Amino acid sequence: YTILSKVHSDRNVYPSAGVLFVHVLEREYFKGEFPPYPKPGEISNDPITFNTNLMGYPDRPGWLRYIQRTPYSDGVLYGSPTVENVGKPTIIEITAYNRRTFETARHNLIINIMSAEDFPLPYQAEFFIRNMNVEEMLASEVLGDFLGAVKNVWQPERLNAINITSALDRGGRVPLPINDMKEGVYVMVGADVPFSSCLREVENPQNQLRCSQEMEPVITCDKKFRTQFHIDWCKISLVDNTKQVSTFQEVIRGEGILPDGGEYKPPSDTLKSRDYYSDFLITLSVPSAIALVLFLILAYIMCCRREGVEKRNMQTPDIQLVHHSAIQKSTKELRDMSKNREIAWPLSTLPVFHPVTGEIVPALHTDSYDNTSMPLMQTQQ
């Protein structure tokens, strides 16, 4: 049901279309590609990362995915080949990077996709396992245990693992790093017999109601998975391709189906081109003219309608102008006199002695004391 292979130089693999393909990039193999620079007697554990891409392209094919958690773990290529690529060799360039010595090593993986017999399997079920990460599920022994549990519940003659997808690729969130929480993984399997009664229990109205209330549904065969796999039965998907195919064949052309309109006919090249110069001038001239008129009106109001000082004086009575001028002259003379006078400071501003300590207490005024605020007449003797 799955193809496992180790990394080799220019290795040829032959996966089947629609069947899960897993290829492990082992760090131990690539360690021999890099010189052992550590001292004699020391074990080299260099961090190694991998880069995989389709030859001549920057990324991998759409059906092929790659995962490596840390530079100290193996990388895994996995995916489900498509029928469109059957018979076409796919060359994957694998580049290993030694993060300590910055050296690289390159190998080619030639994937020859073969057509699977009796594929696709008509009955497909997708399970969501909450306590697994994708690299853990890709291990052959773990995937074998899961398929064994499914086979025990489903009882099919043929059972294949079709695809494995991380919950993060389906819009899931990264789990909190507490209690060894997992991100979850979707596993799709296919069989040649209808779904068992246990799997059909998810479609019961009672279980559907419990799922809508975010409660665990009651599944009789859940205990066969619970020992190792925690399955979210509310997210299970059951697909019966036999019903879909029969429904498609029964479609009859009639009302509700658009008639064939023929081939698309683009417009001819003889269409006359339109001149947008006049539209451009109108678009600029009209707002500019309105702005100019408003500017002239505002300039006339601000400049031509201004009364000025002379007109104000002409409309003011002479006696009021005389009083105003006299007040200004008197104010100016008083200010000049206050600046030029020299008189003694008031007694309240002179230094005095503290009655207890005998220390000299500074004057109340400061250096920036404004002498213009002093009284015109000295009231102290």
Side-chain angles (χ1 to χ4, degrees):
Y1 51 83
T2 180
I3 296 178
L4 299 176
S5 58
K6 297 183 179 180
V7 136
H8 292 280
S9 178
D10 297 343
R11 175 69 181 274
N12 284 271
V13 293
Y14 300 89
S16 299
V19 180
L20 180 64
F21 165 72
V22 180
H23 184 81
V24 181
L25 307 180
E26 294 184 349
R27 295 175 62 255
E28 293 296 333
Y29 175 80
F30 282 94
K31 285 182 180 180
E33 300 288 335
F34 306 113
Y37 288 107
K39 297 179 181 179
E42 294 182 356
I43 299 176
S44 174
N45 189 23
D46 297 341
I48 299 176
T49 58
F50 302 95
N51 182 34
T52 60
N53 63 280
L54 183 64
M55 179 175 288
Y57 296 89
D59 204 354
R60 298 174 300 275
W63 62 269
L64 189 62
R65 297 176 181 175
Y66 169 74
I67 186 172
Q68 183 186 16
R69 289 290 179 179
T70 64
Y72 297 95
S73 60
D74 296 334
V76 181
L77 283 168
Y78 67 100
S80 181
T82 58
V83 183
E84 291 77 8
N85 296 326
V86 172
K88 301 177 182 178
T90 302
I91 302 177
I92 303 297
E93 293 180 343
I94 302 173
T95 306
Y97 297 89
N98 190 325
R99 295 303 178 180
R100 183 180 64 86
T101 61
F102 300 100
E103 293 182 337
T104 61
R106 176 168 293 181
H107 297 267
N108 292 333
L109 177 67
I110 303 175
I111 303 176
N112 302 281
I113 302 175
M114 310 297 292
S115 60
E117 298 179 357
D118 300 333
F119 181 82
L121 295 175
Y123 303 97
Q124 300 177 3
E126 186 177 54
F127 300 85
F128 177 63
I129 305 174
R130 292 179 293 186
N131 65 328
M132 287 287 176
N133 288 336
V134 62
E135 71 276 7
E136 298 174 347
M137 198 66 197
L138 289 172
S140 58
E141 59 275 6
V142 178
L143 184 59
D145 294 341
F146 177 75
L147 292 178
V150 174
K151 190 172 183 179
N152 190 17
V153 172
W154 201 338
Q155 296 296 330
E157 295 181 3
R158 291 186 297 110
L159 182 68
N160 288 340
I162 298 178
N163 200 2
I164 291 181
T165 308
S166 173
L168 302 181
D169 297 334
R170 297 284 188 89
R173 300 177 63 181
V174 178
L176 295 175
I178 56 176
N179 299 330
D180 196 20
M181 298 181 65
K182 305 294 183 179
E183 63 191 28
V185 61
Y186 290 89
V187 180
M188 177 178 287
V189 298
D192 57 345
V193 297
F195 304 108
S196 62
S197 59
C198 173
L199 300 179
R200 290 290 186 182
E201 291 178 0
V202 183
E203 301 176 351
N204 293 341
Q206 295 82 2
N207 288 331
Q208 292 293 327
L209 179 61
R210 295 178 66 89
C211 289
S212 63
Q213 297 175 353
E214 298 183 357
M215 299 174 61
E216 287 288 340
V218 179
I219 307 297
T220 57
C221 58
D222 180 55
K223 59 183 179 181
K224 296 183 179 180
F225 297 92
R226 184 64 62 176
T227 56
Q228 187 176 359
F229 307 100
H230 295 172
I231 297 178
D232 190 347
W233 293 99
C234 291
K235 294 184 179 180
I236 189 173
S237 176
L238 304 178
V239 180
D240 188 354
N241 292 325
T242 58
K243 295 182 179 180
Q244 296 181 359
V245 173
S246 61
T247 303
F248 176 77
Q249 292 177 352
E250 293 176 358
V251 174
I252 301 175
R253 183 179 296 273
E255 297 181 358
I257 300 178
L258 297 177
D260 187 7
E263 298 181 357
Y264 171 70
K265 296 181 180 180
S268 61
D269 298 336
T270 59
L271 295 177
K272 296 181 179 180
S273 61
R274 181 178 176 182
D275 187 10
Y276 292 96
Y277 182 73
S278 59
D279 298 339
F280 174 74
L281 292 180
I282 294 175
T283 303
L284 292 181
S285 60
V286 174
S288 301
I290 296 175
L292 180 60
V293 172
L294 295 177
F295 175 76
L296 293 177
I297 294 174
L298 182 62
Y300 173 74
I301 295 174
M302 298 295 294
C303 299
C304 301
R305 300 291 296 176
R306 188 174 182 180
E307 295 181 352
V309 179
E310 296 180 357
K311 186 175 182 180
R312 182 198 64 186
N313 294 340
M314 292 176 60
Q315 296 178 355
T316 305
D318 295 338
I319 187 64
Q320 186 175 353
L321 293 177
V322 172
H323 289 172
H324 180 71
S325 177
I327 292 173
Q328 286 184 337
K329 291 181 180 180
S330 300
T331 303
K332 185 176 183 304
E333 291 178 358
L334 290 174
R335 289 179 178 176
D336 294 339
M337 292 173 61
S338 64
K339 292 180 180 180
N340 297 328
R341 69 175 179 269
E342 294 180 358
I343 59 177
W345 291 95
L347 296 178
S348 60
T349 61
L350 296 178
V352 296
F353 293 94
H354 196 275
V356 179
T357 61
E359 296 180 356
I360 298 178
V361 180
L364 297 179
H365 66 84
T366 59
D367 296 339
S368 61
Y369 186 78
D370 188 7
N371 56 8
T372 58
S373 62
M374 295 176 58
L376 297 180
M377 298 181 62
Q378 187 174 3
T379 58
Q380 294 85 359
Q381 295 296 332

